[in-house]
């Protein structure tokens, strides 16, 4: 079986990370998998790139320009929506012709247009589409933020003051008419949200979590990790990780508030606890925190990232809307208990008071209590951390490469069987 995984980027973003890990998992399970991307960053022979990079950049700019005009020249939501009005026709590429199944992932920002996806469907090849957010089931947005229009028909979109949403909804409806896509979500939460969509009603949809290589993401010596990252060896470390730490959706404001509450309620924390922040713009928030904070910047090397995770006593990600965060999975795989809000797929990952703490949504007081609970409970037991051991066990049971690959192979088999049945 030959699978073509299609994603905008090879490395940047959570979807790219998940796509890479799935490709590796499939290849390790005897399936021939390749990636096709717009933005290729390595010389890997298993990753193909679109040609004419200048044209790809123009497509990205053109889509943003159309959105900018329809937004009445406001930049407020410029990168929160996608209209897929331009992209690349991949059906003539050899990688596409060789594939038995075409597996779409995050294909926005000029990678594929709706017309391009229609050509893929018209080719007759089975199509599987992993939803890393809700965009395939809405007109424009990736996260609905409480809006329910997509359950009937996107029309007056709160993100853009024009008829663009209804226009894109009609185009998506036309694209999907008389076609079948096998949708996969990374969390049960997203699956339940997607099933509400009138756009993809009746389409097959299931939930399969992202995979992680537990040979790479694993517990290592904390003292050595802290020394390598120039972090205090004799303090408890609270870790926050995000590609861009100032992204409002990742909840930095609630993190700052929770740390304030933690310090006021438990003053001794100021003496024995510090914060490490990994991600772009990490230096922008350190002055706002009530504990000593160490900005580590953006790191892309997996071994360095593993080293950072292993410095932590607790990992905190107070996302306001999220699917199945890779950062929580990575942290747990490294034996670090996590704290997050009860939102999205996070409660599926963190088992409350077993391998971390699930705080009430947007409740900074409960988030602070969760951080404190893990810090106090995170005491080595016979040389090992009990919460951390539970976290590692959960990852091996649910997110290992073999477990995830087998589930996807079943979906590919179903997609192929559906194609042959309809011939």
């Amino acid at each position: 079986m030959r699978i073509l995984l299609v994603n905008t980027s090879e490395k940047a973003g959570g979807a790219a990370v998940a796509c890479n890990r799935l490709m590796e998992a499939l290849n390790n399970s005897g399936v021939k998998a390749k990636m096709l991307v717009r933005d290729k960053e390595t010389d890997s022979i298993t990753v193909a790139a679109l040609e004419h990079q200048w044209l790809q950049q123009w497509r990205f700019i053109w889509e943003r320009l159309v959105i900018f005009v329809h937004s009445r020249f406001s930049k407020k939501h410029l990168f929160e929506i996608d209209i897929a009005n331009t992209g690349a026709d991949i059906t003539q590429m050899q990688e596409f012709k060789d594939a038995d199944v075409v597996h779409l992932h995050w294909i926005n920002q000029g990678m594929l247009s709706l017309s391009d996806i229609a050509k893929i469907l018209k080719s007759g090849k089975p199509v599987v589409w992993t939803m890393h957010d809700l965009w395939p089931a809405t007109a424009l947005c990736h996260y609905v933020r409480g809006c329910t229009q997509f359950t009937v028909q996107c029309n007056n979109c709160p993100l853009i003051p024009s008829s663009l949403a209804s226009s894109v909804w009609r185009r998506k409806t036309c694209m999907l008419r008389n076609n079948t896509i096998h949708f996969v979500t990374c969390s049960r939460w997203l699956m339940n949200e997607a099933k509400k969509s009138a756009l993809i009603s009746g389409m097959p949809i299931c939930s399969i979590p992202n995979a992680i290589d537990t040979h790479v993401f694993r517990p290592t010596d904390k003292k050595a990790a802290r020394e390598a990252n120039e972090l205090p060896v004799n303090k408890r470390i609270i870790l926050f990780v995000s590609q861009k730490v100032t992204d409002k959706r990742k909840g930095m404001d609630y993190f700052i508030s929770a740390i304030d509450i933690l310090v006021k309620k438990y003053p001794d924390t100021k003496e024995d606890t510090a914060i490490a922040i990994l991600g772009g713009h990490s230096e922008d928030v350190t002055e706002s925190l009530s504990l000593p904070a160490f900005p580590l910047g953006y790191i892309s090397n997996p071994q360095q990232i593993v080293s950072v995770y292993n410095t932590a006593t607790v990992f905190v990600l107070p996302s306001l809307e999220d699917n199945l965060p890779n950062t929580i999975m990575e942290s747990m795989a490294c034996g670090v208990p996590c704290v997050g809000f009860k939102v999205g797929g996070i409660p599926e990952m963190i088992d409350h008071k077993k391998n971390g703490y699930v705080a009430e949504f947007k409740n900074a007081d409960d988030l602070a209590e969760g951080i404190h609970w893990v810090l106090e409970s995170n005491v080595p037991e016979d040389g090992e951390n009990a919460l951390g051991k539970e976290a590692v066990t959960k990852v091996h049971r649910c997110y290992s490469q073999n477990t995830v690959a087998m589930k996807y192979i079943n979906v590919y088999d179903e997609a192929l069987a559906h194609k042959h049945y309809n011939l």
Side-chain angles (χ1 to χ4, degrees), residues 102-345:
V102 178
H103 187 168
L104 306 181
H105 285 260
W106 201 88
I107 46 75
N108 298 113
Q109 296 190 353
M111 176 67 187
L112 296 180
S113 69
L114 297 182
S115 298
D116 297 323
I117 298 172
K119 289 178 183 177
I120 294 170
L121 293 168
K122 190 176 179 181
S123 74
K125 288 184 182 288
V127 176
V128 174
W129 195 342
T130 292
M131 299 171 62
H132 295 276
D133 53 45
L134 208 53
W135 186 84
T138 71
L140 307 173
C141 67
H142 296 268
Y143 292 92
V144 296
R145 294 172 174 81
C147 177
T148 60
Q149 289 194 52
F150 76 104
T151 64
V152 182
Q153 178 181 337
C154 292
N155 193 0
N156 298 314
C157 180
L159 298 180
I160 189 165
S162 76
S163 61
L164 192 58
S166 58
S167 173
V168 175
W169 181 277
R170 288 194 297 271
R171 291 174 58 213
K172 282 189 173 182
T173 300
C174 183
M175 175 190 78
L176 293 170
R177 187 175 295 127
N178 299 322
N179 289 302
T180 297
I181 296 177
H182 291 256
F183 287 100
V184 178
T185 65
C186 303
S187 67
R188 294 189 298 275
W189 163 78
L190 189 61
M191 179 182 70
N192 292 331
E193 289 295 299
K195 284 182 175 180
K196 299 175 186 175
S197 171
L199 186 66
I200 62 172
S201 177
M203 295 282 183
I205 182 168
C206 67
S207 176
I208 302 175
N210 297 329
I212 190 167
D213 188 346
T214 52
H215 296 292
V216 175
F217 288 87
R218 59 186 180 84
T220 63
D221 182 73
K222 281 195 181 298
K223 183 174 183 292
R226 291 179 179 184
E227 289 175 346
N229 290 282
E230 299 181 349
L231 293 173
V233 174
N234 60 345
K235 291 180 181 285
R236 303 178 299 183
I237 301 292
I238 301 170
L239 177 64
F240 182 100
V241 178
S242 177
Q243 185 177 6
K244 181 182 177 183
V245 302
T246 52
D247 181 352
K248 293 288 185 182
R249 187 170 60 84
K250 294 298 181 179
M252 175 53 75
D253 290 343
Y254 285 91
F255 181 71
I256 292 170
S257 295
I259 296 301
D260 282 343
I261 295 166
L262 181 70
V263 170
K264 288 174 183 175
K265 193 171 182 179
Y266 306 102
D268 289 348
T269 305
K270 191 114 181 174
E271 305 302 321
D272 61 11
T273 309
I275 296 171
I277 305 174
L278 176 62
H281 300 273
S282 55
E283 66 283 354
D284 294 347
V285 299
T286 53
E287 295 298 321
S288 303
L289 292 159
S290 302
L291 289 173
F294 297 81
L296 303 178
Y298 179 79
I299 297 174
S300 59
N301 182 285
Q303 296 297 340
Q304 286 182 270
I305 294 171
V306 170
S307 177
V308 171
Y309 280 120
N310 275 282
T311 66
T313 312
V314 58
F315 174 72
V316 183
L317 185 68
S319 288
L320 305 183
E321 202 165 9
D322 228 325
N323 185 8
L324 199 82
N326 288 322
T327 51
I328 288 181
M329 189 183 299
E330 291 163 355
S331 179
M332 291 174 66
C334 293
V336 180
C338 302
V339 178
F341 282 139
K342 188 177 182 180
V343 67

Side-chain angles (χ1 to χ4, degrees), residues 368-384:
E369 197 57 42
I371 296 170
H372 179 258
W373 184 85
V374 172
L375 288 173
E376 295 302 312
S377 303
N378 200 5
V379 179
E381 182 181 278
D382 297 326
E384 291 187 81

Side-chain angles (χ1 to χ4, degrees), residues 72-93:
R72 298 174 185 169
F73 307 102
S74 169
K75 296 181 181 179
K76 187 175 181 180
H77 302 298
L78 187 58
F79 292 96
E80 294 178 33
I81 60 178
D82 282 284
I83 60 176
N85 64 326
T86 183
D89 178 6
I90 66 171
T91 60
Q92 301 306 310
M93 297 183 68

